[in-house]
Amino acid sequence: MTTPLLKVENLRIALAGDGVTYDAVENVSFEIGRGEAFGLVGESGCGKSITALSVMGLLRRPLSLAGGKIILDGEEIQNVSAAEMRRLRGKRIAMIFQEPMTALNPLSPVGRQIAEMFVLHQGANWNEAMDRAEDALRQVRVPSPERRIKDYPHQLSGGMRQRVMIAIALACGPDLLVADEPTTALDVTVQAEIIDLMAELCAAKGTAVLMISHDLGLVANMCQRVAVMYAGRIVESQVADAIFATPTHPYTQGLIDSLPRLGERARRGRQKLREISGVVPSIANYPSGCRFNPRCPAVTDVCRTIVPEATPLPADGLVRCHHHG
Amino acid sequence: MAESLLSLDDLAVHFKVGNALAGGIKTLKAVDGVTLDVKPGECLGLVGESGCGKSTLALAIMGLLPPTRGTMNVDGQQISGATPPDRMKMARTVQMVFQDPYASLNPRQTVRRTLADPLRLHGITDKEEVEARVIDMMAKVGLRPEQADRYPHEFSGGQRQRIGIARALILKPKLVLCDEPVSALDVSIRAQIINLLLELKDEMGLAYIMISHDLGVVEHVSDRVAVMYLGRIVEQGGWQEIFENPRHPYTRALIAAIPDPFHRAAISADAKARGEIASALNPPPGCHFNPRCPLKTDICTAEYPAFGEVSPGHRAACHFRERTQ
């Protein structure tokens, strides 16, 4: 097998509290090949966003990297200097955030924010960079880009702002695009367009994607492989189609069963939705053993004491459950 | 035919926006001629993107915004721009469950106070009766009696939404407006709340208006569905007709936009809508959906289509409502 583009190994992220340190992310490992789209799914607080931030080298206090390796194209980047990281960000790895209004600079026209990428990373002069910014806007299908480059973020709609974010992120043709809930703030029809656009541009440029979302359906549409996180750990990872056909971890099964599916009522009549009992545990009192155990329908004594090891599944998949299969 | 609990006749809510000196005053037609009815015990799903007027319509039904035009009949009470509602009577008939359980509960009131205040305001002053009804209501939504003296911050999101539901139901209303009741909750909690809402509906004989952008949820809970676009209902019918045989291209676009991993192949590209919702200040001429519509022809820019019948109870405002694709 060739070297993966991104390899995250035993990542551990610490959250410093009042005199105590919690492990917000523990033992997270995954690989993303060149041009591959990889999805990281989980609920709020499960650690998926901070995993993305750690790849970008953007963890700030009270969060810090407590262990593990982040390897980009064969090189470890978890300890590189801030200056070196700045050179990587934007050029080799880029990020799209959930809320484009807060991620864009409100005081600068969007054309300038795109052009900045060419000036900073490719040494272009401003005139040339502005021309290229216009092209970049055209590529993300913003109508009349020649006028829009002078607009400020507040003059654009949510969908248009997210297109601008994509234009900025893809400006320098990065190898990896990290997309943290890129469409959560958008309407469904706009979401569909933005996802199509991202998928198309990344495929054309051979950009790999690390997609973070709470929406399993969305991730499965866009990504080839999916990992499910729960309370700071990856509990299951599989090929996207397989995760729906044969979900193995009780949490994944619960997530898939608990959501009403279109067409289901017409086929089978209205069934009571299968609930996952209980609530997501808070980081201060994660249960011992398997962290899903208080909510798990198949819980036994071993689940309460021993952390389950990863068991391999077909096609590079894995599951962490004592009772899988 | 059963008597309607709520009927809206050509209801419109317009706002004056802008400044007479700078640019002139414009009329924003947030809701523009909506005719709807809800029967006792029925669940009407109301779908549409942000900016389509769903929330304004909800506020009008709550009696919180006076209609600019048209009339509304809520359980025998006739309301129009000239005859404002009796607020106390309205509160005993129509209640609302809000989207964000973090923002919609008073952080300085205990659960008991939140639930008891409406009772006292509506003339139930006997301490024992108030207490009994509060505890009974808490049990109905799955909260324990000893939690009555806690404050909202001591509860998880799902439990807070249970408190919000209890508050809405404590006066035994006949109609409950649920405005995106699960979209702010963790994915694994949503099924619990949806099941709870459906149980309470049967138990207390409630009618719901379920406002949501999640079509999976709407299909699961609704008896009938109304689709809104730029202030008007563009399609209305039984849940099965809307989901199995949608006749408005906007309804088809909404359905096509759902990332459904189980029917990936079924999504046809020409069903998708292009672009974004127009501003309600300046709706396009003719059919409001025409700039985004795959079926657009000349007539669509010239005339607003009639809200014609497709089959009994199923209506669509499209010039091409006879086409099935």
Side-chain angles (χ1 to χ4, degrees), chain A residues 61-108:
Chain A
R61 271 188 304 179
L63 293 164
S64 61
L65 202 68
K69 289 178 182 168
I70 299 168
I71 302 163
L72 182 72
D73 216 358
E75 276 177 67
E76 288 186 24
I77 59 167
Q78 74 274 17
N79 290 323
V80 300
S81 68
E84 182 62 29
M85 203 62 216
R86 284 183 70 133
R87 274 193 288 277
L88 286 175
R89 269 197 303 267
K91 198 172 184 179
R92 306 278 317 271
I93 42 178
M95 186 157 179
I96 304 175
F97 298 90
Q98 174 173 349
E99 187 23 85
M101 191 63 214
T102 50
L104 291 169
N105 180 348
L107 298 177
S108 167

Side-chain angles (χ1 to χ4, degrees), chain A residues 95-308:
Chain A
M95 186 157 179
I96 304 175
F97 298 90
Q98 174 173 349
E99 187 23 85
M101 191 63 214
T102 50
L104 291 169
N105 180 348
L107 298 177
S108 167
V110 295
R112 198 185 153 83
Q113 297 187 49
I114 304 173
E116 206 171 47
M117 299 293 290
F118 301 119
V119 174
L120 286 176
H121 290 293
Q122 299 177 350
N125 67 45
W126 275 103
N127 280 339
E128 180 196 336
M130 286 305 278
D131 288 344
R132 289 173 64 185
E134 197 182 312
D135 286 340
L137 274 186
R138 192 167 291 123
Q139 269 188 23
V140 293
R141 293 195 214 108
V142 170
S144 37
E146 64 288 350
R147 281 191 291 125
R148 288 300 188 183
I149 55 168
K150 299 190 191 88
D151 279 357
Y152 289 86
H154 76 270
Q155 295 169 293
L156 302 175
S157 67
M160 286 300 150
R161 279 180 216 140
Q162 201 56 292
R163 284 168 198 268
V164 170
M165 281 295 297
I166 295 174
I168 294 174
L170 296 181
C172 297
D175 297 324
L176 176 69
L177 176 69
V178 179
D180 186 2
E181 304 263 10
T183 59
T184 308
L186 305 175
D187 276 315
V188 277
T189 54
V190 180
Q191 161 172 295
E193 280 195 312
I194 295 287
I195 292 293
D196 286 353
L197 178 74
M198 265 175 57
E200 184 192 315
L201 290 178
C202 290
K205 296 182 179 209
T207 308
V209 181
L210 170 58
M211 169 110 166
I212 313 284
S213 178
H214 66 276
D215 186 339
L216 200 51
L218 186 68
V219 163
N221 263 7
M222 162 111 191
C223 302
Q224 285 98 53
R225 281 187 307 129
V226 178
V228 179
M229 275 185 91
Y230 185 79
R233 294 177 183 150
I234 289 180
V235 293
E236 177 165 4
S237 123
Q238 285 214 64
V239 173
D241 293 319
I243 210 147
F244 286 96
T246 52
T248 311
H249 197 280
Y251 175 63
T252 322
Q253 289 166 351
L255 275 188
I256 291 175
D257 286 347
S258 71
L259 290 179
R261 264 182 234 160
L262 266 194
E264 193 72 4
R265 188 172 166 197
R267 283 191 295 275
R268 298 172 49 211
R270 179 149 74 197
Q271 310 272 326
K272 195 173 174 216
L273 294 176
R274 253 185 64 186
E275 298 173 10
I276 304 179
S277 63
V279 295
V280 184
S282 84
I283 189 163
N285 39 37
Y286 277 153
S288 59
C290 170
R291 285 178 181 166
F292 188 59
N293 84 63
R295 307 179 71 187
C296 185
V299 61
T300 58
D301 283 344
V302 64
C303 306
R304 296 193 184 94
T305 47
I306 298 168
V307 180

Side-chain angles (χ1 to χ4, degrees), chain B residues 24-312:
Chain B
I25 291 177
K26 291 177 181 166
T27 304
L28 189 147
K29 298 177 176 174
V31 175
D32 196 22
V34 166
T35 301
L36 262 187
D37 66 332
V38 180
K39 297 188 176 51
E42 182 182 52
C43 178
L44 176 79
L46 186 61
V47 295
E49 292 169 277
S50 32
C52 77
K54 298 178 300 219
S55 299
T56 305
L57 182 63
L59 291 178
I61 293 171
M62 289 289 292
L64 298 174
L65 280 175
T68 313
R69 185 182 79 219
T71 56
M72 180 165 99
N73 188 310
V74 187
D75 197 28
Q77 200 183 162
Q78 193 78 18
I79 297 155
S80 69
T83 49
D86 172 353
R87 285 285 312 130
M88 292 302 269
K89 199 172 164 208
M90 281 295 276
R92 288 192 295 271
T93 316
V94 189
Q95 281 289 338
M96 191 155 175
V97 174
F98 297 91
Q99 171 170 8
D100 186 347
Y102 294 82
S104 58
L105 296 172
N106 186 336
R108 300 174 66 165
Q109 286 188 354
T110 60
V111 177
R112 186 190 309 279
R113 173 104 194 270
T114 297
L115 297 183
D117 273 0
L119 291 173
R120 277 197 283 271
L121 281 170
H122 287 269
I124 298 160
T125 45
D126 180 66
K127 272 194 174 163
E128 275 171 32
E129 190 186 348
V130 169
E131 178 66 14
R133 281 181 68 172
V134 166
I135 298 302
D136 179 53
M137 195 65 241
M138 287 182 69
K140 277 194 172 130
V141 299
L143 294 170
R144 292 189 307 276
E146 69 266 24
Q147 294 172 315
D149 292 309
R150 297 202 192 154
Y151 289 89
H153 75 265
E154 297 175 73
F155 293 93
S156 68
Q159 283 175 314
R160 276 183 235 207
Q161 197 58 301
R162 289 172 193 268
I163 301 170
I165 292 170
R167 177 180 59 184
L169 300 186
I170 190 97
L171 289 174
K172 303 197 171 126
K174 294 176 177 167
L175 175 66
V176 180
L177 294 170
C178 305
D179 187 1
E180 304 271 9
V182 297
S183 50
L185 304 178
D186 271 325
V187 187
S188 69
I189 304 298
R190 291 183 187 176
Q192 295 174 10
I193 298 297
I194 294 169
N195 283 344
L196 175 68
L197 284 170
L198 285 174
E199 278 161 25
L200 292 169
K201 174 174 176 288
D202 291 344
E203 199 180 318
M204 302 178 64
L206 303 167
Y208 285 152
I209 294 182
M210 181 67 68
I211 300 175
S212 180
H213 68 269
D214 184 334
L215 291 190
V217 172
V218 170
E219 186 190 47
H220 182 75
V221 302
S222 304
D223 301 308
R224 286 189 303 130
V225 178
V227 182
M228 237 180 135
Y229 192 76
L230 279 184
R232 300 189 187 185
I233 306 280
V234 296
E235 184 162 6
Q236 191 182 331
W239 68 270
Q240 208 150 5
E241 280 138 9
I242 296 290
F243 286 99
E244 307 276 291
N245 188 15
R247 294 302 181 94
H248 197 287
Y250 179 59
T251 313
R252 285 201 279 266
L254 282 178
I255 295 173
I258 299 179
D260 185 346
F262 294 93
H263 306 102
R264 244 194 288 186
I267 299 170
S268 77
D270 38 294
K272 289 186 178 174
R274 297 183 296 261
E276 292 172 38
I277 194 165
S279 159
L281 267 179
N282 190 15
C287 171
H288 293 344
F289 188 60
N290 82 62
R292 306 175 66 186
C293 185
L295 303 178
K296 176 184 169 182
T297 64
D298 289 344
I299 190 173
C300 303
T301 50
E303 272 176 50
Y304 193 86
F307 194 42
E309 195 162 73
V310 178
S311 60

